[in-house]
């Protein structure tokens, strides 16, 4: 008899999705196990050593607002903090940092080991255990151990049937240095879930000691660093600069001459790659008239001489990589520590998922790269959603849902579920129609209360958040109460029209070129407001008038999201729906009216019919009770 | 709950009366701005006055929340069914802040949400809504099939390009994208603004005269279609000859019928034929005829079966009255017999159309263009302001795209991303 252990939730995979899922589940109070192939590889960054950015930084802040790990670990490991779009408005600023790989991994591992209710299990999951009615009730490890659970979260990243390509050489692997997950991949393949192949690539790693840094342009860290977590205010370790160099015509000639030997161009790869992360081969072919492409030389750690050349990912043979890299300024004598490669892996069509990230197999949740996304931040955010909902289901609590109008997390979930993916999905701020509201700076104001209500947020953060909100609302109230006449404003040195209209100080603050000094003149008590709070009051005030415009749109969306479509509603029988539409609905199974509305080909009349049927079955249900 | 919506609710056809329905929290306030409100559920005869101008004398009804079709506070304005009145009232309501034209099915949806309808009633209404949206779609397609269509295609491209440029500087700030896209974006916005402005100004009477209604004359070869057209136009527009199948193409003649601009289409005779050129002519004739607002079928003998079946409302008459002297409703292009009566029938049908759906859809287009125009104005002033915020420009452009949805088709972030990835080398 093999060993059997019981949990509420089992998480498969210790990448960014898995770590966040396991921690979220344990925070909710579920007895949780995190199974990963190698304990000491938990929290590894597979590709570029950086966290955050535009859209991505927003996601990290949202994870942080829900008391997740990523922001804390990034701050512990951050060696070059930069706020992107610093000169643009706060809605489109994204915090980002270069991260020391080792420090990041260790920070994640430390946070996980401190988490109460979480057990880390080393092992390879080779099978799922199915209970009555096809419900997934646990996992089977390679050594024969069985772990049972009410919910299982799968976050196997690029590991499922992963194949690594370097030139015409191919080998099985989950990423460089890790074995692929083949048996689990086969098992999942047999379940009949809609599955596809995607690919992504990574550049060669360079030995920083052999780079001629002197002649290269430098990109320093910000003087006034902005952290990824709301809880931190300054970097934990030394800050370093990145170098900048460029490819040139010679580089392009070498790449061009060897295109046929690239895994991607030699026809060895069937998977689709992301357009926003093109390989150097792609860049040279698609933008043939460009004579140079920028490369960032990013240190991978403080006591690590590995350098990540951001901008030249490739699947050319190793010797061609060597040639083209050495054609680049500053890299003439560089040594390659590890060649770049492309990886192809299985993903599952996310349009078959529920908004909780539960799959069509009851009890099995999917998060991260296996849902067709790319990026640590996207993975982490999904991990949190899947982990929290897996725990909620195991503990008999209500599902935790996210709306497009409230978070980037909601935008991502809705995009994935109502549209599926055609290329690896990455977050951009332009995906968020309520971008002016969904800012990185107010992620806690938007989400922490929800996190507290659902049990996702720990006591420390509850207190921290309460303090911040108190300061904010006091300052807001102070400014809202004081209204000024045009002559008063003119006297304070502000230019306003003499229209006789009174304006409160929040409205005044939103004006161009207004500073807190003006506010001080008009309301001396505002001197007591601390600098951090002043800044946040200003950011909120800045967009207030634009937010009113979006309110109607957001209300409609929320109203439609609130109308849930019963899981057993048979679209195929509904009179008045075209066959095509009802087939599509039956396949996609939208869980609420907003999701249904986003399905291609949806008509107002069809939406109305669905609504009427939701009403009817809701009535039937209450009548039965 | 939500915003306040209005729509022309009266049935199609010439009823003499047009009914506007207004529903939502501002419904009573909106009517109150035009006239004094009658007591609930009592009809009151009122003059509707807007900014000093009398719009019409109307029967006004008021329903309180909980006692109306939608369950919300609502009102009805029964005005005279003339095209001008309907247009004016629609425009005034559309200009009131907080009011907007209802989407297809929106009244029903509200009624349903407020528990005023049951499933069976909704299923019945769904067919109606389908028909309504289909009519709107067809109207939009028709409007878009000609010169305006080409312009709308240009708008679509310009909006995508402008949106992509702005988004690229936001989302790919760290990449190799141009830092200052303001000149190109301003250029695109200015062209768009100018064209929208021209189009908005033209949606009035002048536009109607230019665009006109299309009326197709159909019938077997040699039944006298061309002669009829010449008689209508009073000049030799189409070649009339005795050889069957002379009119191989579609000939258009613009004319004024009872004050309405009308384009009469003379089509190739409808018949099966071996002649390739004539086959093309017949196919074109069928296509154009189907797209026209009205079809006049000329029969060569009573009970003739044609290749195209008349649609409801179409006019069917017997031609060559000189050969059918005993038929009272027959017409003859040659002798002029029955022509006046036919003109009156055509004019009647067209006025009916002008008074209902047509006016409303065009008004919808006008409102859409106006909204887009305003959003572009706002984007422009933001762009020109030193230190203007890019994210607000993007928000305005998005508003413009949403407004023009009906005219240029849905634009979403994927379109912008496609343009960005095609134009700039993104990806570190
Ligand atoms: C070559 C390469 C290039 C990339 N390029 C980019 C890029 O350019 N831009 C970008 O944003 N992102 C890139 N990424 C993606 C980024 O690494 C992922 O998006 C992110 O790591 C996904 O997180 P995850 O948690 O879903 O999966 P991963 O981080 O891959 O973690 C998967 C985890 O599951 C574990 N696991 C798998 N199978 C089993 C099993 N059967 N039993 C137990 N444990 C298992 C693994 O050990 C691992 O811990 C790249 C990744 C690779 C490998």
């Amino acid at each position: 008899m093999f060993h059997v252990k019981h949990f509420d939730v089992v998480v498969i995979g210790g990448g960014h999705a898995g770590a966040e899922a396991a921690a979220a589940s344990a925070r909710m109070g579920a007895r949780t196990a995190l199974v990963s192939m190698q304990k000491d590889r938990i929290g590894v960054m597979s590709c570029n050593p950086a966290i955050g950015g535009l859209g991505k930084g927003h996601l990290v802040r949202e994870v942080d607002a829900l008391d997740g790990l990523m922001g804390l670990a990034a701050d512990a490991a951050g060696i070059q903090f930069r706020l992107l779009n610093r000169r643009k408005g706060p809605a489109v600023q994204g915090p980002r940092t270069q991260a020391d790989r080792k420090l990041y991994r260790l920070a994640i591992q430390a946070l996980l080991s401190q988490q109460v209710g979480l057990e880390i299990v080393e092992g390879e999951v080779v099978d799922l255990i199915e209970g009555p009615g096809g419900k997934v009730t646990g996992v089977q490890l390679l050594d024969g151990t069985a772990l049972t659970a009410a919910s299982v979260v799968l976050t196997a990243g690029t590991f499922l049937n992963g194949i690594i390509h370097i030139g015409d050489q191919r080998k099985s692997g989950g990423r460089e240095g890790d074995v692929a997950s083949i048996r689990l991949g086969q098992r999942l393949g047999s379940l009949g879930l809609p599955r596809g192949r995607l690919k992504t690539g990574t550049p060669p790693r360079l030995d920083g000691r052999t780079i001629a840094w002197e002649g290269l342009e430098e990109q320093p860290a910000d003087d006034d660093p902005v952290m990824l977590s709301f809880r931190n205010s300054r970097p934990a370790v030394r800050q370093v600069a990145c170098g900048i160099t460029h490819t040139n015509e010679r580089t392009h000639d070498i790449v061009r001459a060897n295109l046929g030997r690239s895994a991607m161009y030699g026809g060895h790869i069937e998977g689709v790659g992301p357009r926003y992360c093109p390989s150097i081969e792609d860049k040279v072919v698609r933008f043939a008239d460009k004579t140079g492409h920028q490369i960032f030389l990013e240190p991978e750690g403080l006591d690590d001489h590995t350098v990540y050349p951001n901008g030249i990912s490739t699947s050319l043979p190793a010797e061609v990589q060597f040639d083209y890299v050495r054609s680049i300024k500053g890299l003439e004598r560089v040594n390659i520590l590890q060649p770049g490669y492309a990886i192809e892996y299985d993903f599952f069509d996310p349009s078959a998922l529920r908004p909780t990230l539960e799959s069509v197999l009851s009890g099995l949740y999917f998060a991260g790269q296996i849902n067709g996304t790319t990026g640590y931040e996207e993975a982490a955010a999904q991990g949190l959603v899947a982990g929290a909902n897996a725990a909620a289901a195991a503990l008999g609590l209500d599902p935790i849902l996210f709306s497009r109008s409230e978070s980037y997390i909601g935008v991502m979930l809705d995009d994935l579920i109502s549209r599926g993916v055609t290329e690896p999905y990455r977050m951009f701020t332009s995906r968020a129609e309520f971008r002016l509201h969904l800012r990185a700076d107010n992620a806690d104001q938007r989400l922490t209360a929800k996190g507290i209500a659902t049990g996702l947020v720990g006591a420390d953060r509850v207190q921290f958040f309460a303090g911040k909100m108190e300061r904010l609302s006091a300052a807001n109230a102070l400014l809202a109460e004081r209204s000024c006449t045009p002559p008063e404003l003119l006297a304070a040195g502000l230019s306003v029209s003499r229209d006789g209209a009174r304006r409160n100080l929040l409205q005044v603050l939103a004006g161009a070129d207004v500073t807190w000094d003006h506010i001080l003149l008009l309301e001396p008590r505002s001197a007591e407001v601390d600098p951090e709070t002043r800044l946040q009051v200003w950011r909120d005030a800045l967009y207030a008038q634009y937010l009113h415009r979006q309110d109607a749109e957001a209300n409609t969306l929320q109203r439609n999201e609130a109308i849930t479509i019963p899981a057993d509603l048979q679209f195929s029988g509904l009179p008045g729906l075209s066959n095509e539409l009802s087939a599509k609905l039956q396949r996609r199974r939208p869980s609420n009216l907003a999701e249904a509305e986003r399905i291609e080909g949806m008509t107002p009349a069809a939406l109305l019919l669905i609504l009427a049927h939701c009403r009817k079955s809701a009535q039937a249900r209450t009548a039965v009770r | 709950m939500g915003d306040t919506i209005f729509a022309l609710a009266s049935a199609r056809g010439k009823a003499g009366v047009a009914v506007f329905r207004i529903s939502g929290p501002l419904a009573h306030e909106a009517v109150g701005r035009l006239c004094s409100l009658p007591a609930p559920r009592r009809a009151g005869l009122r003059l509707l006055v807007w900014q000093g101008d009398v719009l019409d004398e109307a029967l006004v009804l008021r329903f309180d929340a909980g006692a109306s079709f939608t369950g919300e506070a609502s009102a009805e304005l029964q005005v005279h069914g003339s095209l001008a009145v309907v247009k004016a009232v629609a425009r005034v309501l559309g200009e009131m802040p907080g009011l907007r034209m209802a989407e297809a099915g929106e009244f029903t949806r509200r009624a349903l949400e407020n528990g005023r309808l049951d499933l069976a009633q909704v299923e019945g209404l769904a067919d109606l809504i389908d028909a309504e949206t289909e009519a709107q779609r067809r109207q939009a397609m028709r409007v878009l099939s000609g010169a305006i269509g080409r312009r709308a295609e240009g708008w679509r491209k310009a909006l995508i390009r402008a949106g992509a440029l702005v988004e690229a500087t936001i989302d790919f700030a760290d990449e190799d994208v141009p830092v200052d896209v303001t000149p190109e974006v301003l250029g695109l916005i200015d062209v768009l603004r100018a064209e929208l402005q021209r189009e908005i100004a033209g949606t009035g009477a002048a536009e109607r005269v230019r665009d006109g209604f299309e009326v197709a004359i159909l019938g077997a070869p040699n039944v006298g279609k061309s002669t009829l057209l010449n008689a209508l136009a009073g000049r030799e527009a189409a070649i009339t000859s005795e050889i069957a199948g002379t009119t191989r193409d579609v000939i258009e003649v613009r004319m004024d019928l009872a004050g309405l601009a009308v384009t009469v289409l003379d089509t190739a005779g409808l018949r099966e034929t071996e002649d390739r050129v004539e086959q093309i002519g017949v196919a074109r004739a069928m296509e154009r005829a189907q797209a026209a607002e009205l079809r006049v079928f000329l029969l060569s003998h009573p009970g003739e079966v044609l290749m195209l079946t008349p649609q409801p409302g179409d006019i069917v008459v017997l031609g060559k009255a000189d050969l059918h002297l005993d038929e009272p409703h027959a017409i003859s292009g040659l002798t002029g017999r029955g022509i006046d009566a036919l003109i009156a029938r055509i004019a009647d049908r067209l006025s009916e159309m002008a008074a209902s759906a047509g006016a409303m859809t065009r008004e919808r287009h006008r409102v859409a263009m106006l909204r887009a125009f305003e959003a572009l104005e706002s984007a422009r002033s933001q762009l020109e302001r030193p230190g203007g915020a890019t994210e607000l420009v993007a928000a305005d452009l998005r508003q413009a795209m949403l407004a023009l949805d009906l005219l240029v088709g849905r634009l979403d972030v994927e379109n912008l991303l496609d343009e960005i990835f095609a134009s700039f080398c993104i990806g570190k």
Side-chain angles (χ1 to χ4, degrees), chain A residues 283 311 419 430 543 560, chain B residues 109 167 171 391 412 427-428:
Chain A
K283 290 184 181 183
R419 300 184 166 204
S430 47
Y543 296 116
N560 285 347
Chain B
R109 177 178 171 144
E167 294 298 347
D171 263 333
E391 69 273 24
D412 72 12
K428 294 193 297 185

Side-chain angles (χ1 to χ4, degrees), chain A residues 232-298:
Chain A
N232 296 318
S233 51
R234 72 185 69 86
V237 295
R238 181 162 61 86
Q239 298 295 288
V240 301
C242 290
I244 298 179
T245 183
H246 293 87
T247 61
N248 53 47
E249 294 284 23
R250 246 191 72 220
T251 322
H252 299 182
D253 287 342
I254 297 168
V255 171
R256 220 174 277 126
N258 290 284
L259 275 181
R261 303 176 66 197
S262 156
M264 280 170 256
Y265 281 85
H268 302 287
I269 298 188
E270 47 165 316
V272 182
R275 282 176 301 174
Y276 38 81
C277 256
S279 60
I280 186 66
E281 294 95 300
D282 268 331
K283 290 184 181 183
V284 167
V285 172
R286 291 190 33 224
F287 295 92
D289 51 342
K290 274 198 86 152
T291 53
H293 296 276
Q294 191 166 262
I295 305 168
F296 288 85
L297 299 173
E298 305 175 346

Side-chain angles (χ1 to χ4, degrees), chain A residues 158-431:
Chain A
T158 49
F159 284 63
L160 295 176
N161 294 320
I163 294 179
I164 289 175
H165 296 258
I166 304 179
D168 58 2
Q169 292 178 2
R170 46 190 282 157
K171 61 178 184 193
S172 167
R175 70 188 158 209
E176 190 52 51
D178 283 291
V179 296
S181 190
I182 309 244
R183 285 183 58 184
L184 184 60
Q186 281 166 350
R187 174 70 166 104
L188 288 164
S190 73
L191 294 174
L193 298 165
R195 193 165 60 145
R197 295 287 272 177
L198 290 172
K199 68 159 194 231
T200 185
T202 196
R205 303 303 143 85
L206 312 178
D207 183 340
R209 292 167 302 185
T210 56
I211 294 177
W213 294 99
E214 314 76 52
L216 299 180
E217 200 185 321
E218 251 196 9
Q219 183 189 54
D222 283 350
D223 290 333
D224 141 35
V226 172
M227 302 290 101
L228 272 302
S229 169
F230 288 104
R231 310 264 337 240
N232 296 318
S233 51
R234 72 185 69 86
V237 295
R238 181 162 61 86
Q239 298 295 288
V240 301
C242 290
I244 298 179
T245 183
H246 293 87
T247 61
N248 53 47
E249 294 284 23
R250 246 191 72 220
T251 322
H252 299 182
D253 287 342
I254 297 168
V255 171
R256 220 174 277 126
N258 290 284
L259 275 181
R261 303 176 66 197
S262 156
M264 280 170 256
Y265 281 85
H268 302 287
I269 298 188
E270 47 165 316
V272 182
R275 282 176 301 174
Y276 38 81
C277 256
S279 60
I280 186 66
E281 294 95 300
D282 268 331
K283 290 184 181 183
V284 167
V285 172
R286 291 190 33 224
F287 295 92
D289 51 342
K290 274 198 86 152
T291 53
H293 296 276
Q294 191 166 262
I295 305 168
F296 288 85
L297 299 173
E298 305 175 346
E300 296 215 337
L302 292 176
D303 60 1
D304 182 348
H305 48 252
T306 312
V307 165
Y308 180 96
N310 202 339
I312 48 170
S313 82
T314 184
S315 60
L316 283 162
E319 64 273 19
V320 180
Q321 295 187 26
F322 183 81
D323 283 349
Y324 87 68
V325 165
R326 285 204 163 193
S327 74
I328 295 167
K329 182 175 173 210
L331 308 182
E332 294 88 351
R333 314 175 66 130
V334 84
N335 283 339
I336 291 184
L337 298 173
Q338 179 205 306
Y341 61 92
I343 185 164
E344 236 191 325
Y345 54 93
D346 287 354
F347 81 102
F348 296 93
D349 178 1
S351 68
L353 296 170
R354 317 278 307 165
T356 54
L357 293 182
E358 189 175 13
S359 67
V360 290
L361 296 180
S362 158
L364 182 64
Y365 295 73
F366 283 177
Q369 197 101 0
I370 55 164
N371 285 339
T373 65
T374 162
Y376 311 136
E377 303 81 356
E378 288 82 350
Q382 290 170 67
L384 186 141
V385 173
N389 278 295
L395 301 174
L397 304 172
D398 283 341
I400 303 169
L401 304 175
F402 295 86
S403 163
R404 294 185 76 88
S405 60
E406 145 208 78
S407 59
Y408 275 82
I409 296 179
V411 170
M412 173 168 65
L413 295 176
D414 185 55
D415 282 349
L416 292 174
I417 294 167
S418 53
R419 300 184 166 204
V421 295
T422 49
E423 68 180 325
Y425 178 95
R426 179 188 145 178
M427 185 47 76
F428 302 111
T429 71
S430 47
R431 295 195 193 276

Side-chain angles (χ1 to χ4, degrees), chain B residues 34 46 65 67 83 109 191 228 238 254 299 317 351 360-361 364 396:
Chain B
L34 298 174
R46 298 283 189 278
L83 177 61
R109 177 178 171 144
V191 172
L228 170 63
R254 279 163 193 278
L299 305 186
V317 290
S351 322
M360 205 56 189
T361 343
R364 201 184 279 280
D396 285 330

Side-chain angles (χ1 to χ4, degrees), chain A residues 566-613:
Chain A
D568 55 359
L569 183 67
Q570 284 300 316
F571 294 104
S572 37
L574 293 196
L577 281 191
S578 72
N579 288 340
E580 191 194 338
L581 203 53
S582 62
K584 222 183 251 178
L585 285 161
Q586 200 64 35
R587 191 153 21 90
R588 286 272 165 114
R589 290 235 57 100
S591 47
N592 60 51
L593 209 62
E595 242 180 71
E597 189 174 14
R598 285 164 64 81
I599 289 177
E600 217 196 329
M602 182 54 65
T603 68
L607 214 54
L608 210 58
L609 284 169
I610 298 171
L611 174 61
H613 280 276

Side-chain angles (χ1 to χ4, degrees), chain A residues 439-613:
Chain A
R439 309 193 306 269
D441 66 70
N442 69 0
D444 53 348
Q445 290 159 255
R446 293 184 276 118
L447 292 173
T448 302
K450 176 188 198 130
I452 294 171
T454 50
L456 259 174
V457 172
D460 281 3
R461 194 176 293 255
V462 171
Q463 220 177 14
F464 176 83
F465 176 68
K468 174 173 173 177
M469 289 310 279
E470 225 164 86
R471 289 190 296 278
L472 257 181
S473 50
N476 272 316
L478 183 69
L479 267 59
E481 273 162 25
R482 172 80 169 94
S483 72
C484 308
T485 60
E488 279 180 290
L489 295 173
L490 288 168
L494 293 169
S495 51
V496 286
S497 64
R498 289 179 173 277
D499 52 5
R502 295 181 79 94
R503 294 168 178 80
N504 73 32
L505 288 184
L506 287 176
Q507 291 163 324
V508 171
L509 190 59
D513 307 323
V514 180
T515 68
W516 202 268
D517 288 338
H518 296 112
I519 302 296
L520 281 172
L521 282 176
L522 294 158
E523 175 52 73
R525 280 182 295 165
S526 68
E528 286 156 31
V529 179
D530 65 280
E532 191 57 36
T533 307
R534 289 180 188 186
L535 203 56
Q536 194 57 19
V537 168
W538 170 74
R539 292 185 189 120
D540 286 338
L542 190 62
Y543 296 116
Q545 57 162 328
Y546 286 85
L547 296 184
H548 288 311
R549 271 212 258 165
Q550 294 194 338
D551 277 351
E553 205 183 331
N555 286 342
T556 314
L557 178 69
Q558 279 165 356
R559 211 152 38 93
N560 285 347
E561 281 171 341
I563 297 169
T564 49
I565 301 176
D568 55 359
L569 183 67
Q570 284 300 316
F571 294 104
S572 37
L574 293 196
L577 281 191
S578 72
N579 288 340
E580 191 194 338
L581 203 53
S582 62
K584 222 183 251 178
L585 285 161
Q586 200 64 35
R587 191 153 21 90
R588 286 272 165 114
R589 290 235 57 100
S591 47
N592 60 51
L593 209 62
E595 242 180 71
E597 189 174 14
R598 285 164 64 81
I599 289 177
E600 217 196 329
M602 182 54 65
T603 68
L607 214 54
L608 210 58
L609 284 169
I610 298 171
L611 174 61
H613 280 276

Side-chain angles (χ1 to χ4, degrees), chain B residues 125-142:
Chain B
L125 281 167
D127 291 340
L128 259 172
I129 292 156
D130 252 351
E132 189 186 324
T133 18
E134 179 56 18
Q136 268 171 27
R137 197 187 59 78
R138 277 200 4 214
Q139 177 80 5
M141 293 299 290
R142 203 191 65 80

